[in-house]
Amino acid sequence: MSDYNKEGIRQIEEKWRREWVKREVYKVSPSEKPKYYVLDMFPYPSGAGLHVGHPLGYIASDIVARFKRLKGFNVLHPMGFDAFGLPAEQYAIEHGIHPARSTADNIRNFIRQMDKIGFSYDWGREVRTCDPKYYKWTQWIFLQFFDSWYNRKKDKAERIAELVEIFGREGNADYPFPNIKYKLPESGKNVFTALEWEGFGEKLRQEILMQYRLAYLAYTDVNWCEALGTVLANDEVINGVSYRGGFPVVKKQMRQWSLRITEYAERLLRGLDEVDFSDSMKEVQRNWIGRSTGARIRFRVKSERSAVPEMVVFTTRPDTIFGVDFMVVAPEHEIVKDITSEEQRAEVEKYLKYVESRSEVERMAEVKKITGAFTGAYAVNPFNGREIPIWISEYVLAGYGTGAIMGVPCGDERDHKFAKHFNLPITNIIGSHYNGEEANPTYDAILENSGFLNGLQMKTAIQVVIRELEARGIGEHQVNYKMRDAGWSRQRYWGEPFPVVYRDEMPYAMDEKDLPLELPDSNDFRPSGTGEGPLANLKDWVRINDHERRDTNTMPTHAGAAWYFLRFTDPHNDREFASRESLDYWGQVDVYIGGSEHAVAHLLYSRLWVKVLYDLGYLGFDEPFRKLINQGKITGDSRYVYRIRGTNKFVSAGLKDQYETDPLRVDIKFVNGLELNREAFTHWRPDFAGAEFILEGDKYICGAAIEKMSKSYFNVVNPDDIIETYGADTLRMYEMFLGPLEQSKPWNTNGIDGVFKFLRKFWNLFHDSNGNFAVTDAEPSRGELKVLHKTLKKIEQDVETFSFNTSVSEFMICVNELTAQKTNKRSILEPLVIALSPFAPHIAEELWEKLGHGETVFNASFPQYIERYLKEDSFEYPISINGKVRAKMEFALDMPKEDIEKVVLASEIVRKWSEGKPPKKVIVVPGRIVNVVL
RNA sequence: GCGGAUGUGGCGUAACUGGCAGCCGCGCCAGACUUAGGAUCUGGUGCCGAAAGGCGUGGGGGUUCGAGUCCCUUCAUCCGCACCA
């Protein structure tokens, strides 16, 4: 009779939860030992609490942390909360509960649930992004951005003071405005001399510096969501609607903070080569950065009015310059009004109106639709003087490149469709590669009809054209990025206020000693609806005096999350965001585990912040995460019942096609497998009270679907419930057993009994049939040693490669074999307790204590395995031919010698050998050659 | 459309550099113990076949003495991105 039952487990787990806290076993500080930093993506503390999907990554990281600790590392394994954010604010609007309060409550609940699972977090290092002691430093880092610019010559960020010095010395001729479209307000030029700089007034100087700052204010097109009353980041807009709520999003011009992440595009791209992320993760980031190389080409413009002498296009295919049959500029392009001819004016204006009328959603939905208008103006091909009509069309985006393209219908599918649709002539420069039906974007064709490029392969022609463009001064090599600067203002209450003061409409950094700029208390969280956030309602807070006012926006949640991993190294420092000493000791995150949904925004911003802090000398590394693991999502397994339309009758799934039914999700609490608990169901909601059922046999069978785990789908499984029945150790091991960490999988408890039985069997190895602890000091047998060492080796390999599912299997095999041998020897069991402790810490700790150890198993050492015990089923046998030893071969122990000779002679080895290559190694199992290494 | 990933028993999955496919668990079958049970233990379980034997890693082709693994092709599913010139 085992006492590893529901009650026994509860006692063990509660006991050790208390003991671990009391003994402060998880407290860490720098030491002589090598460090290892294991980090989870910290959660947003939602009101719904943890479901079984959340802990998947946390369990994996906890296993790694505990394992590395056993391997002699000083392990930093902290946890915190991404506590600013929209849901708390929405909740406040709906329920009148202050975000600070609901957030604190939610965090308390999260911590309670996490502690039950037995994570080895050092809670002494917990951070919350909404804590003024924390966001003081978020604001401080923001000010470092504000006080910096990107020196392209040195390829790093520098202080604004150095830029001021440069301007005073030599003007900006060698340091052009990052935004190539920017012009000085009075002169209309984009360069100034040192002398001019000296003459500029304070406001103009600030205006100019703003063009260089890494955190800057600018009027930008932002994604305005009327329904949410706020601006959203690009990655918060999906297919033209808001990520949250799915509300329509339109463009709107607002004066916003942005981070100049585009200056780091190249380094963010290059940095990917140094880190260990999955290919898909790197690819997603590369796509987001969207680097493409090509050329800028200036074309002379011929229009009725000579207001605009030239237009500029960006192309990745300058080699197709002789195939240009038309030009297209974005409808929003400033050139349009200046080049449109009298004759075409009406048509162009009609088209512009049409474009304006289209919402973002429509535009996205109708991407294939071809529209456009001719401006009446022409561009001149610099190489053959051909006059090319200039059109406008919304398929050209104002925000990318120069907002203008050269149309090459024979080589570009979109251009081809455009030409066909408007009946424009198509010049073929690629001969037989173009079939007249569809464009061919090949690089391999030999160019025709292409003047001085005739006879060149397109690949080679690209460089030839660029050289020629540069020689003639009408274009140059150019690299373009899809990535935009990151909008950093949110019209929200529950976020970090911007630590700046406006004087004469220009922002100035607050003094470091006045930080944090605390979020003022308020109970009005409604956005103003005009674009200003809730803080604008607090007039006394906004207005400092007659000349000074504050910013009414707050930072996005990305801000606090962009550097929290640095704060963990020194979480209570109130003089610095973290001491250089701590940062140097703990350094990069060695393993970062989290969901792939944060692939773009969070990772890029974190990487950016680290690079900027590195440039400014606060850090010794410029990539935050050495290795990234994306755990798969655990999806929910929903259940449906089928109500016959207009009645309160429910029909079992197998019979539902005989009726007209509406499917309804039913809470999985009321379903056992697929069978509905009819009694419980009728008590669920008042309208189901008198429900009748049409059964299959005597059962009501539900429909099933795999969907995301969500409260509103009634398919959430709470880890507390699992722990209640099986204990935390079973939950931990079962979540790992479910499948490979990085794979998404639906939650089910089908196999959980197997894991539970394993733990009970393990427990029983230490106890006699009366349930009394009983291990002996007898010498282990060879068989037992082999099982032990095989298991240790496998576990070590598996954990190093994050294959936790196979580790669990390996433990099961081990226990099965030891059970068969009725092992109760300390020398075998004790090392296994250590090896199991990362996976099932509670049971391990209890057995460890029973084995007579005073110190926690958390501080033990991972046992060494001995190869000798693993090798005993094979031996090496020298093979000699003509009296000379030519190779050593590995054979199975139970194979008769004659067979070996036979195998050797009969095998393929002889054939290979005859080719003159003696094999280095041959692995044989009875009757068969397994491996020949030549 | 582009990019990435994944396809193995009834199910979740395993298989180091190509080397006896299906470990471990669930489920199922049989047995033991039982005052009958959603408990525990033991054995069996890829498919077809009475057996001998044959067939088997989404489909088709290839390389190799040998392919789940490598190459080509095709289909299916999932996840990103989406007029980026």
Side-chain angles (χ1 to χ4, degrees):
Chain A
M1 188 52 202
S2 173
D3 53 351
Y4 195 73
N5 53 27
K6 195 169 168 178
E7 183 51 28
I9 294 164
R10 201 178 54 75
Q11 284 178 10
I12 292 168
E13 294 191 349
E14 276 177 11
K15 168 183 162 190
W16 286 110
R17 271 210 299 282
R18 278 196 308 272
E19 278 297 309
W20 288 330
V21 172
K22 208 170 91 194
R23 299 195 203 166
E24 297 189 319
V25 290
Y26 301 139
K27 209 172 160 165
V28 289
S29 47
S31 73
E32 293 300 300
K33 291 198 275 185
K35 70 92 189 184
Y36 197 84
Y37 189 174
V38 192
L39 184 66
D40 295 295
M41 288 187 189
F42 66 163
Y44 175 80
S46 85
L50 288 177
H51 60 64
V52 289
H54 289 106
L56 183 71
Y58 305 157
I59 294 169
S61 68
D62 196 55
I63 291 171
V64 173
R66 288 172 178 273
F67 176 81
K68 286 290 177 184
R69 171 95 178 193
L70 296 175
K71 294 289 285 181
F73 290 89
N74 190 20
V75 176
L76 180 58
H77 186 220
M79 180 47 85
F81 297 94
D82 191 10
F84 273 134
L86 223 68
E89 193 163 331
Q90 297 281 43
Y91 189 79
I93 292 169
E94 286 159 25
H95 298 92
I97 296 179
H98 196 280
R101 221 182 89 200
S102 61
T103 302
D105 287 348
N106 294 346
I107 289 177
R108 202 170 309 120
N109 188 40
F110 264 59
I111 292 178
R112 180 190 63 79
Q113 287 188 295
M114 287 177 168
D115 276 346
K116 272 190 166 185
I117 305 175
F119 295 132
S120 61
Y121 299 131
D122 178 359
W123 283 115
R125 289 178 180 261
E126 183 206 330
V127 302
R128 304 177 181 196
T129 54
C130 67
D131 181 349
K133 291 200 209 66
Y134 178 87
Y135 69 68
K136 169 181 180 175
W137 299 106
T138 309
Q139 293 174 331
W140 181 85
I141 297 173
F142 175 83
L143 290 180
Q144 308 313 302
F145 274 71
F146 181 69
D147 190 41
S148 306
W149 62 292
Y150 199 78
N151 185 337
R152 293 180 183 179
K153 288 187 192 301
K154 296 186 185 163
D155 227 351
K156 66 185 279 256
E158 289 186 340
R159 292 294 177 179
I160 284 290
E162 297 178 54
L163 185 64
V164 171
E165 200 185 299
I166 289 169
F167 288 166
R169 199 170 59 231
E170 51 180 277
N172 79 334
D174 283 345
Y175 299 88
F177 289 109
N179 175 0
I180 52 169
K181 288 184 185 152
Y182 184 77
K183 303 272 193 299
L184 291 169
E186 273 163 40
S187 65
K189 293 189 304 181
N190 58 8
V191 282
F192 55 83
T193 62
L195 204 63
E196 284 172 310
W197 171 258
E198 294 301 333
F200 290 154
E202 166 66 10
K203 189 168 183 184
L204 181 54
R205 284 187 172 201
Q206 286 301 326
E207 169 74 22
I208 288 169
L209 292 176
M210 187 64 85
Q211 302 304 315
Y212 291 87
R213 295 180 190 274
L214 293 185
Y216 64 97
L217 273 178
Y219 283 96
T220 43
D221 258 348
V222 294
N223 304 304
W224 169 249
C225 180
E226 188 70 42
L228 294 175
T230 190
V231 166
L232 302 172
N234 285 336
D235 48 278
E236 289 171 326
V237 182
I238 293 161
N239 292 330
V241 298
S242 65
Y243 164 72
R244 263 200 112 67
F247 302 113
V249 173
V250 295
K251 297 282 181 199
K252 182 174 178 174
Q253 287 258 316
M254 290 183 76
R255 200 175 184 215
Q256 301 278 318
W257 286 104
S258 291
L259 298 190
R260 211 177 288 281
I261 191 172
T262 47
E263 291 289 335
Y264 280 84
E266 195 59 40
R267 280 171 63 188
L268 287 168
L269 205 52
R270 276 205 317 264
L272 289 175
D273 297 334
E274 296 161 22
V275 294
D276 185 4
F277 296 3
S278 72
D279 287 346
S280 66
M281 197 57 41
K282 287 186 179 183
E283 208 48 42
V284 169
Q285 292 206 27
R286 287 196 188 103
N287 283 343
W288 185 260
I289 295 167
R291 181 185 206 269
S292 54
T293 59
R296 282 159 58 83
I297 307 178
R298 282 182 285 282
F299 288 78
R300 208 150 49 75
V301 172
K302 271 182 110 172
S303 69
E304 291 173 0
R305 304 178 297 155
S306 49
V308 180
E310 65 173 33
M311 64 178 290
V312 190
V313 302
F314 172 72
T315 178
T316 55
R317 297 302 299 270
D319 51 313
T320 62
I321 184 81
F322 287 92
V324 178
D325 290 312
F326 55 91
M327 309 291 269
V328 189
V329 300
E332 303 88 343
H333 202 292
E334 54 195 2
I335 201 178
V336 174
K337 62 182 188 306
D338 293 329
I339 61 170
T340 305
S341 68
E342 263 332 299
E343 196 186 336
Q344 290 301 108
R345 180 160 305 276
E347 195 188 327
V348 166
E349 267 165 18
K350 193 174 136 211
Y351 184 69
L352 291 178
K353 215 161 247 150
Y354 160 78
V355 170
E356 216 170 287
S357 76
R358 270 159 56 90
S359 70
E360 197 74 1
V361 191
E362 285 172 316
R363 208 173 146 161
M364 296 271 193
E366 300 174 294
V367 146
K368 295 268 145 55
K369 199 164 155 187
I370 298 161
T371 61
F374 176 45
T375 60
Y378 293 85
V380 180
N381 188 324
F383 292 115
N384 61 7
R386 190 171 147 209
E387 293 187 4
I388 311 157
I390 303 174
W391 286 66
I392 60 175
S393 173
E394 55 176 355
Y395 87 88
V396 173
L397 307 176
Y400 183 75
T402 61
I405 62 149
M406 54 186 223
V408 183
C410 75
D412 183 282
E413 196 46 49
R414 294 154 305 178
D415 295 348
H416 192 262
K417 289 209 177 98
F418 192 81
K420 285 279 189 199
H421 187 263
F422 288 106
N423 249 323
L424 300 170
I426 295 172
T427 306
N428 181 13
I429 53 169
I430 53 177
S432 59
H433 286 84
Y434 176 60
N435 61 11
E437 290 304 314
E438 49 189 5
N440 184 350
T442 177
Y443 283 87
D444 299 326
I446 305 296
L447 286 161
E448 300 173 11
N449 296 327
S450 289
F452 71 101
L453 298 173
N454 277 338
L456 282 176
Q457 200 183 24
M458 299 178 96
K459 283 192 257 242
T460 7
I462 295 176
Q463 292 317 312
V464 176
V465 174
I466 290 175
R467 236 175 291 130
E468 187 64 20
L469 287 168
E470 286 174 349
R472 295 206 203 174
I474 51 170
E476 56 271 320
H477 174 78
Q478 166 97 22
V479 178
N480 247 323
Y481 301 93
K482 275 194 250 183
M483 185 166 64
R484 295 293 117 80
D485 280 342
W488 213 248
S489 295
R490 295 293 182 277
Q491 289 62 47
R492 287 284 160 183
Y493 171 77
W494 193 232
E496 301 88 349
F498 286 95
V500 294
V501 171
Y502 289 86
R503 287 194 284 273
D504 196 15
E505 288 310 302
M506 294 308 293
Y508 292 84
M510 283 176 61
D511 202 294
E512 190 178 325
K513 70 173 170 18
D514 296 328
L515 297 181
L517 172 59
E518 288 205 33
L519 187 59
D521 198 11
S522 170
N523 45 30
D524 182 7
F525 312 113
R526 246 164 271 276
S528 67
T530 58
E532 284 198 294
L535 288 178
N537 302 332
L538 305 172
K539 305 249 184 303
D540 291 346
W541 180 80
V542 176
R543 183 182 171 282
I544 302 167
N545 56 47
D546 284 350
H547 309 290
E548 297 182 320
R549 63 172 186 85
R550 301 192 195 282
D551 197 306
T552 60
N553 297 319
T554 54
M555 297 188 207
T557 49
H558 298 306
W563 72 283
Y564 73 107
F565 43 89
L566 301 175
R567 185 65 176 174
F568 278 137
T569 65
D570 192 9
H572 306 296
N573 195 329
D574 56 5
R575 294 185 314 280
E576 303 157 279
F577 69 95
S579 73
R580 183 63 196 258
E581 205 186 355
S582 311
L583 290 165
D584 283 347
Y585 177 74
W586 295 111
Q588 290 167 289
V589 174
D590 292 283
V591 182
Y592 193 31
I593 299 184
S596 55
E597 66 272 22
H598 301 109
V600 174
H602 166 60
L603 286 175
L604 280 176
Y605 297 142
S606 301
R607 296 178 59 218
L608 170 71
W609 281 45
V610 163
K611 283 179 194 302
V612 171
L613 290 172
Y614 169 81
D615 285 354
L616 298 178
Y618 293 106
L619 288 177
F621 49 90
D622 84 332
E623 279 293 338
F625 314 118
R626 205 191 284 273
K627 180 177 178 69
L628 175 71
I629 303 266
N630 294 115
Q631 95 272 17
K633 274 199 244 318
I634 288 193
T635 44
D637 195 358
S638 309
R639 290 291 179 268
Y640 286 82
V641 292
Y642 303 92
R643 183 166 60 190
I644 300 174
R645 192 161 297 165
T647 70
N648 201 15
K649 256 190 184 168
F650 295 84
V651 56
S652 188
L655 307 171
K656 73 173 195 297
D657 294 344
Q658 300 167 21
Y659 304 86
E660 195 181 354
T661 59
D662 296 307
L664 300 171
R665 286 195 187 83
V666 54
D667 196 313
I668 51 167
K669 285 200 297 248
F670 306 135
V671 184
N672 184 6
L674 288 174
E675 188 187 350
L676 182 69
N677 179 340
R678 301 196 294 276
E679 173 69 18
F681 176 74
T682 50
H683 291 102
W684 184 23
R685 288 177 168 183
D687 45 323
F688 298 148
E692 295 172 56
F693 301 92
I694 298 172
L695 307 178
E696 286 175 78
D698 57 346
K699 293 174 176 176
Y700 185 97
I701 304 299
C702 298
I706 304 296
E707 301 171 305
K708 71 167 189 181
M709 205 170 268
S710 158
K711 225 179 175 179
S712 58
Y713 291 179
F714 309 113
N715 62 0
V716 171
V717 182
N718 186 315
D720 293 354
D721 298 340
I722 306 287
I723 291 171
E724 184 62 31
T725 346
Y726 294 100
D729 289 337
T730 298
L731 174 73
R732 290 171 64 107
M733 294 200 83
Y734 183 59
E735 291 222 10
M736 293 300 100
F737 181 69
L738 225 39
L741 181 61
E742 307 200 33
Q743 186 177 303
S744 287
K745 50 228 158 191
W747 175 261
N748 67 68
T749 50
N750 290 348
I752 199 164
D753 280 326
V755 172
F756 177 70
K757 278 188 226 167
F758 151 74
L759 285 173
R760 192 176 50 201
K761 279 188 196 168
F762 187 73
W763 175 268
N764 286 345
L765 284 174
F766 295 78
H767 296 84
D768 61 23
S769 51
N770 300 317
N772 295 321
F773 183 75
V775 296
T776 73
D777 290 325
E779 282 296 306
S781 71
R782 288 186 147 231
E784 288 171 330
L785 283 173
K786 191 168 166 192
V787 172
L788 172 67
H789 290 282
K790 196 177 70 185
T791 305
L792 293 176
K793 179 174 186 175
K794 194 75 169 93
I795 297 302
E796 188 168 9
Q797 276 174 357
D798 286 345
V799 175
E800 296 286 0
T801 56
F802 301 89
S803 315
F804 304 109
N805 53 330
T806 54
S807 339
V808 178
S809 295
E810 207 54 41
F811 274 120
M812 289 177 174
I813 295 168
C814 172
V815 163
N816 285 347
E817 289 176 2
L818 293 181
T819 304
Q821 300 186 37
K822 298 205 169 34
T823 301
N824 65 346
K825 292 168 187 161
R826 170 185 295 271
S827 53
I828 300 297
L829 296 179
E830 196 168 270
L832 287 172
V833 170
I834 300 171
L836 185 68
S837 68
F839 294 84
H842 304 86
I843 188 175
E845 194 76 86
E846 178 71 12
L847 291 171
W848 190 246
E849 190 188 51
K850 287 191 173 200
L851 284 164
H853 297 276
E855 176 73 351
T856 168
V857 68
F858 186 60
N859 287 337
S861 293
F862 192 84
Q864 288 270 308
Y865 60 85
I866 299 173
E867 286 280 0
R868 177 158 56 92
Y869 293 112
L870 307 176
K871 287 215 159 168
E872 286 183 345
D873 58 348
S874 69
F875 66 97
E876 283 193 337
Y877 186 81
I879 299 293
S880 53
I881 292 217
N882 299 336
K884 229 174 164 185
V885 176
R886 305 296 295 264
K888 283 189 176 158
M889 302 193 182
E890 210 177 313
F891 291 101
L893 261 187
D894 52 354
M895 189 170 183
K897 225 175 195 169
E898 318 82 73
D899 283 1
I900 294 171
E901 307 280 3
K902 228 185 283 170
V903 163
V904 169
L905 290 176
S907 73
E908 282 302 314
I909 303 169
V910 175
R911 198 183 61 81
K912 301 241 169 183
W913 209 314
S914 67
E915 291 163 9
K917 294 185 218 162
K920 284 192 192 114
K921 191 174 162 191
V922 179
I923 296 176
V924 176
V925 296
R928 190 186 172 100
I929 296 172
V930 174
N931 196 9
V932 180
V933 181
L934 293 170

